[in-house]
Every structure is written in C-alpha cells, then in structure tokens.
C-alpha cells in the first residue's frame, strides 16, 4: 500500500499485503468464477447492455459528425466556386476557405475517431463461451505453463485488481477487450498486446478474501562499530545471492 508507505502504517486499513498471497488469491477467485456460470451470465448481460447503449450513442454521434462534415464540404465547395468566379473580396474568401478547410480536417479526424470507437465497442461484446475459454486458470494445463505465460494470460484478462482490507473484499475487474485478445492468441489467430488499462469495457466480480497485512513499521538500526564492507565484497555477496 503506497498510502501506508508514505503516510505511516496506520494510514491505511488494508496496509500492505504479501504479493504472493494476493496473486494466489486472484487465481483462486478466477477459478471460482470459472465454476460459476450464473454469475458470469449476469455480468455478461450487464456488460453487453452497456455496450449496446454505448454503441447506440456512438452511432448518433457518428451520424451527427457525418452531417457536419458534409455541411463543411458544401460550404468549402461554394467558396471555391466564388473564388473561381471572382465573386466578392478574394482575400477575405481565401481566408474563409483556409478556415473552413481547417475546420473540415478537424471534423473528419473527429469522425474517424468516432468510427473507430464504434467498431471497438461492437468488438467488445462477449459470449459465455468466450469468457469461459479465457478463464484458463481453471484448466488442468494452467500449472504446466511457464510463469511468463501465466503473467501474459492474467495481463490480458485483468484490467486491475482491488483489495479492501477493512471490508475483506477482493475485486477483480476483467477487461472485455483483453478477453478478445487472449481468445485470438488461444486460437492461434494472432498475438496481440495487453490492452491499455482503464480504456475498455469491464466486468467487476467481488469475492470475500481475508489477506493478512504486512507490517511495514521499521525501527532505526543501532549504530554499528563495524566498518562498512568494501564495494567489491558487497558486489560479490550480491552476486552470490542473485545466483
């Protein structure tokens, strides 16, 4: 817990917890989730309803952006015709044309971003089977994976993990986009990067978990009469420990 480290051990009800303990708890909770189809179904229904609502909102925004872009194109074309025909103040018309062109470029970038967001929203819809397959931790093959592969799986599925020491609750936030990335890798379609955290539709699952806090309080070491070890000796000791 960063708060406990910076402001003192009593500054946070959770304090710090053992890394291995919380990692094991995360895997255990994912296994429980894999064995709870009703719980997954309810979460998926909420997720897909949220995505449908977001898709409808984005579709309206795309429609509005397309209308605005069309209007700007028509205005730009009219200005070009006026300049070609010599109607009005040429300098003023040229300045207006430049301004319109800049506005149209901005509008088309906005339209492009909205279309990408709409496509990504559509791609994040999940089925029960897709989520079940992504919960590889419940597979007998999980324990045969190298640590790097386990990390890769968890980095894709999990958007983040929260632990409330006061309520003794562990919350897993699963990434819909991450599940799709992992699905592609599991089926050999393509290897993808872990999606950016906090930028995808998510599902929250809470579990009752009690993790023992780690006491971070330290005392000032007593003054030592020993001379400090030479740098070469410290380096040799460190090398031996690392080996």
């Amino acid at each position: 817990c960063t708060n406990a480290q910076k402001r003192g051990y009593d500054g946070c009800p959770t304090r710090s917890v053992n890394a291995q303990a919380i990692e094991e708890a995360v895997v255990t909770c994912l296994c429980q989730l894999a064995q709870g189809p009703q719980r997954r179904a309810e979460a998926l229904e909420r997720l897909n309803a949220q995505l449908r609502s977001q898709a409808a909102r984005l579709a309206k925004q795309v429609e509005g952006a397309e209308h605005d872009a069309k209007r700007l194109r028509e205005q730009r074309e009219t200005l070009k015709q006026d300049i070609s025909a010599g109607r009005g103040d040429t300098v003023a018309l040229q300045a207006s044309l430049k301004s319109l062109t800049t506005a149209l470029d901005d509008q088309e970038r906005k339209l492009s971003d909205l279309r990408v967001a709409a496509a990504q929203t559509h791609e994040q819809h999940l089925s029960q089977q897709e989520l079940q397959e992504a919960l590889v931790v419940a597979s007998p093959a999980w324990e045969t994976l190298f640590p790097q592969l386990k990390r890769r799986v968890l980095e894709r599925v999990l958007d983040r993990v929260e632990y409330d020491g006061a309520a003794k609750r562990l919350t897993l936030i699963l990434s819909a986009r991450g599940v799709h990335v992992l699905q592609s890798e599991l089926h050999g379609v393509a290897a993808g990067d872990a999606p950016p955290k906090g930028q995808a539709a998510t599902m929250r699952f809470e579990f009752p978990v009690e993790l023992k806090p780690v006491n971070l309080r330290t005392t000032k070491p007593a003054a030592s009469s020993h001379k400090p070890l030479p740098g070469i000796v410290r380096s040799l000791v460190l090398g031996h420990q690392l080996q």
Side-chain angles (χ1 to χ4, degrees):
C1 176
T2 305
N3 191 43
Q5 290 174 340
K6 290 182 177 178
R7 301 181 185 177
Y9 182 68
D10 296 323
C12 173
T14 300
R15 301 167 184 169
S16 287
V17 294
N18 179 272
Q20 184 176 350
I22 196 168
E23 288 168 3
E24 290 174 354
V26 166
V27 172
T28 299
C29 291
L30 285 172
C31 288
Q32 292 176 16
L33 183 60
Q35 296 161 4
Q38 183 61 34
R39 192 173 187 183
R40 294 198 310 274
E42 292 170 357
L44 282 171
E45 179 55 36
R46 289 194 297 271
L47 170 74
N48 290 330
Q50 173 192 341
L51 289 170
R52 285 192 295 270
S53 174
Q54 185 176 341
R57 186 174 68 254
L58 284 168
K60 287 184 179 180
Q61 290 178 353
V62 167
E63 184 179 353
E66 286 175 340
H67 180 270
D68 291 342
K70 181 181 178 182
R71 175 177 52 81
L72 288 170
R73 289 190 201 99
E74 290 172 350
Q75 291 176 354
R76 185 178 65 173
E77 189 60 32
T78 299
L79 274 175
K80 286 182 177 179
Q81 290 174 4
D82 289 344
I83 292 171
S84 297
R87 293 190 289 266
D89 185 343
T90 303
V91 175
L93 289 174
Q94 288 284 5
S96 297
L97 178 61
K98 184 178 179 181
S99 177
L100 262 178
T101 301
T102 301
L104 179 58
D105 288 343
D106 291 342
Q107 186 63 28
E108 287 181 337
R109 277 194 293 271
K110 177 183 176 182
L111 178 58
S112 177
D113 290 342
L114 285 170
R115 284 171 174 163
V116 169
Q120 289 177 343
T121 298
H122 179 72
E123 291 168 357
Q124 290 183 82
H125 282 77
L126 286 176
S127 67
Q128 270 275 29
Q129 182 179 351
E130 287 172 327
L131 181 54
Q132 177 68 37
E133 288 181 2
L135 295 172
V136 188
V137 295
S139 166
W142 176 255
E143 292 305 326
T144 68
L145 298 181
F146 288 113
Q148 297 93 325
L149 287 176
K150 290 182 177 180
R151 179 187 180 93
R152 188 181 182 91
V153 168
L154 295 176
E155 278 184 340
R156 278 146 184 72
V157 174
L158 293 169
D159 185 79
R160 65 186 186 278
V161 175
E162 299 171 354
Y163 180 64
D164 184 341
K168 297 179 176 58
R169 305 286 297 179
L170 180 71
T171 304
L172 305 183
I173 295 92
L174 273 62
S175 165
R177 191 181 301 170
V179 168
H180 278 299
V181 171
L182 181 59
Q183 276 281 105
S184 298
E185 293 184 342
L186 291 174
H187 289 280
V189 177
D193 295 327
K197 304 302 179 185
Q199 297 184 20
T202 57
M203 296 164 283
R204 294 177 63 92
F205 299 94
E206 291 188 355
F207 301 86
V209 174
E210 184 172 1
L211 297 171
K212 204 170 184 180
V214 178
N215 191 337
L216 289 178
R217 284 179 289 194
T218 58
T219 55
K220 188 175 180 181
S224 173
S225 59
H226 296 291
K227 294 180 180 179
L229 290 172
I232 184 66
V233 176
R234 291 201 304 273
S235 298
L236 286 169
V237 171
L238 175 60
H240 176 71
Q241 290 174 338
L242 288 172
Q243 188 182 40

